[in-house]
Amino acid sequence: MIKAIIFDLDGTLLDRDRSLTAFIENQYDRYPAFHGVEKNEFVRRFIELDQKGYVWKDRVYQTLVEELQIALNWQDLLTDYVESFQNHCVGFPGLIETLEQLKEKKLKLGIITNGFGRFQMNNIKGLKIEHYFDEILISELEGLRKPDSRLFQRALTRLGVAPEESVFVGDHPINDVEASIAAGMKGIWKEDHHFERPSKVSSVITELSEIKNVLANFEKKKRTIYILSGPAGVGKSTTSQVLVQALERSAYISGDDISHLPVNGRGQPWICEETLKLTWINMASLVKNLIKFDYDVVIDYVAFPRDVDWFRQQLSDYDLTIKYVVFMVDLETLLLRDQLRPKEAQMGKEAPFCLKNLKRL
């Protein structure tokens, strides 16, 4: 059961791009010394030097003053930034509504953010959201920075929850998502196209309002995908039918049936790579739909480890278990059973090759 949600600040709760642009434009207007440069060019260069907030502003202002030959003290500009940025803070759409909903659910809320203590706290106050949070950890004040797992563990301790009872929401693939998962939490990536997708992720959102649905999915029973593999004629289908009837809420996918969806132009999947690829793509789409509706799924198809690895990657956003079972039989029995199958379904000389590769597992 989820008891706590911890958020990153910049790029997650605070729309830093809009906030920064609003501040830069305001600062430009207040300092006539900037006006020798077009406002758009000044804003563009500032944002470029800022690098999504990963370059501190002392370096940004020093560079700007030097490049634009501005008769201003960069330290005065930095002080103005530290004191005034909070007046231009803009939250992402749905920020207040989402926090209200989470508090109504009696969830504990926290923030972990890298940055300077006073500056980040002022920004939280600028968003008028400080009162929603039970704990706020800022790297300068804690002496630790994300992605250090100790910072996540410290937040969990203060909130009084276990890692498996908590969720972290952030936009940075490594510092937020992968780091929180490494700490034992569920990591939600608030998608930002500036970054590459995290290598590990529990779920993905584009809007804060989606969090409530993600939490509902986390609370659902963890579902299982059973992949029953083996050469044709070893009893996969019979076993699959027994298994699917034994499960409380289940669905059955016959890989053979899926591979026959294309009619004209279809190749035999054990020979035609295109048919095989399309079959797995279609099965992955079906499984995603079934999982969303809370079904366990039994797949009956010849599957090699490379197929299962690809399949697992397609479902990496879902909290589920994949069980891969391979049925075996001796060659003589396999050939006999293959001959009893409809001619168009017979593997022929491919049957021994399939058996040989599966035996290597």
Side-chain angles (χ1 to χ4, degrees):
M1 180 178 180
I2 302 301
K3 296 181 180 179
I5 302 180
I6 305 176
F7 292 89
D8 166 55
L9 179 61
D10 297 319
T12 302
L13 302 177
L14 172 72
D15 187 336
R16 192 177 178 282
D17 292 343
R18 290 174 60 199
S19 302
L20 182 63
T21 299
F23 165 75
I24 300 169
E25 291 178 346
N26 177 267
Q27 189 179 53
Y28 178 93
D29 292 340
R30 289 186 289 107
Y31 283 83
F34 289 142
H35 297 173
V37 181
E38 290 292 331
K39 180 188 282 190
N40 288 343
E41 175 59 22
F42 179 78
V43 172
R44 184 201 65 79
R45 184 55 177 152
F46 192 111
I47 292 173
E48 182 179 58
L49 292 170
D50 176 71
Q51 293 184 30
K52 296 283 287 187
Y54 289 95
V55 175
W56 184 236
K57 302 311 155 295
D58 54 354
R59 292 173 56 189
V60 171
Y61 281 116
Q62 288 178 62
T63 302
L64 279 173
V65 167
E66 182 179 342
E67 285 185 358
L68 304 180
Q69 298 182 345
I70 299 170
L72 291 172
N73 186 310
W74 68 264
Q75 293 173 316
D76 293 338
L77 295 173
L78 176 60
T79 298
D80 180 64
Y81 171 82
V82 171
E83 297 298 330
S84 302
F85 187 88
Q86 60 187 303
N87 300 322
H88 303 277
C89 288
V90 180
F92 280 103
L95 170 61
I96 301 301
E97 295 84 349
T98 298
L99 295 177
E100 289 279 2
Q101 291 170 358
L102 296 177
K103 293 304 286 185
E104 287 174 4
K105 292 180 178 293
K106 308 300 181 185
L107 292 166
K108 294 183 177 181
L109 301 184
I111 290 177
I112 300 178
T113 179
N114 287 344
F116 292 94
R118 181 164 166 266
F119 179 77
Q120 292 293 61
M121 186 56 72
N122 281 343
N123 292 341
I124 292 169
K125 292 178 179 178
L127 290 173
K128 298 180 173 56
I129 59 173
E130 180 186 12
H131 61 284
Y132 288 106
F133 294 93
D134 301 283
E135 294 291 342
I136 297 174
L137 285 73
I138 303 174
S139 63
E140 182 194 29
L141 304 180
E142 301 298 330
L144 295 170
R145 290 178 59 84
K146 295 180 297 182
D148 194 321
S149 62
R150 292 175 295 174
L151 190 55
F152 293 90
Q153 291 162 1
R154 185 177 295 177
L156 295 174
T157 298
R158 291 181 185 175
L159 290 169
V161 296
E164 61 272 15
E165 297 173 328
S166 57
V167 173
F168 192 89
V169 184
D171 68 307
H172 196 284
I174 297 173
N175 294 348
D176 295 328
V177 184
E178 294 177 16
S180 60
I181 291 175
M185 306 170 66
K186 294 184 185 301
I188 298 177
W189 184 40
K190 187 174 183 298
E191 190 172 14
D192 185 332
H193 295 297
H194 177 80
F195 300 116
E196 293 184 2
R197 181 187 178 87
S199 61
K200 292 183 180 181
V201 61
S202 303
S203 191
V204 179
I205 62 172
T206 56
E207 302 288 342
L208 291 172
S209 59
E210 298 172 45
I211 291 176
K212 61 180 182 296
N213 292 330
V214 173
L215 293 178
N217 288 332
F218 285 159
E219 295 298 342
K220 289 181 179 179
K221 177 184 175 183
K222 188 173 183 178
R223 290 300 172 182
T224 302
I225 310 300
Y226 301 86
I227 302 176
L228 275 57
S229 178
V234 296
K236 298 190 304 297
S237 298
T238 301
T239 306
S240 295
Q241 293 292 345
V242 173
L243 175 59
V244 80
Q245 293 300 326
L247 298 170
E248 179 182 1
R249 187 172 173 84
S250 59
Y252 170 72
I253 296 177
S254 165
D256 286 342
D257 289 346
I258 300 302
S259 74
H260 279 83
L261 288 176
V263 181
N264 294 328
R266 173 190 177 274
Q268 294 174 317
W270 53 89
I271 297 175
C272 178
E273 188 68 27
E274 179 185 273
T275 299
L276 179 64
K277 181 178 180 180
L278 179 58
T279 299
W280 279 105
I281 290 173
N282 285 336
M283 287 197 293
S285 295
L286 278 173
V287 168
K288 289 177 182 178
N289 291 334
L290 290 165
I291 287 293
K292 288 178 182 177
F293 284 85
D294 216 20
Y295 284 90
D296 291 319
V297 183
V298 179
I299 297 175
D300 163 20
Y301 199 49
V302 178
F304 293 97
R306 65 165 187 169
D307 303 317
V308 178
D309 287 342
W310 177 89
F311 191 73
R312 184 182 293 111
Q313 291 174 5
Q314 303 309 303
L315 299 170
S316 60
D317 289 349
Y318 298 82
D319 185 24
L320 50 80
T321 299
I322 296 179
K323 294 187 177 182
Y324 176 41
V325 181
V326 179
F327 293 80
M328 301 301 294
V329 70
D330 62 87
L331 180 58
E332 182 179 353
T333 303
L334 173 63
L335 293 175
L336 177 61
R337 291 178 178 176
D338 188 52
Q339 292 173 6
L340 296 175
R341 292 162 61 85
K343 190 171 182 62
E344 67 275 9
Q346 291 180 10
M347 297 187 70
K349 64 180 181 180
E350 294 295 326
F353 177 76
C354 176
L355 181 64
K356 181 180 179 181
N357 281 310
L358 289 171
K359 279 185 174 180
R360 291 175 179 172
L361 299 179

